[in-house]
């Protein structure tokens, strides 16, 4: 009985866990790629136009 309840809980929570983990990966990737782009194009006059 306990195993069935545990499986139901995991299945109900898995979409939220997956969504949160993918959002964290996207934020980390965006930060790393943004820092890389700024380092590569340091001194360019177009850097100030980015938000």
């Amino acid at each position: 009985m306990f195993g069935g309840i545990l499986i139901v809980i995991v299945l109900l929570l898995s979409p939220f866990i997956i969504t949160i983990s993918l959002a964290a990966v996207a934020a980390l990737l965006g930060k790393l790629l943004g820092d890389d782009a700024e380092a590569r194009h340091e001194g360019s006059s177009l850097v100030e136009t980015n938000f």
Side-chain angles (χ1 to χ4, degrees):
M1 183 70 177
F2 178 72
I5 293 172
L6 184 63
I7 290 173
V8 168
I9 290 173
V10 168
L11 288 175
L12 288 175
L13 292 179
S14 63
F16 301 109
I17 294 170
I18 291 170
T19 303
I20 291 170
S21 65
L22 289 177
V25 169
L28 179 64
L29 189 59
K31 174 68 174 151
L32 291 175
L33 291 176
D35 291 344
D36 179 58
E38 286 182 14
R40 287 178 187 244
H41 302 289
E42 185 177 355
S44 173
S45 63
L46 296 177
V47 172
E48 291 85 23
T49 62
N50 293 336
F51 291 96

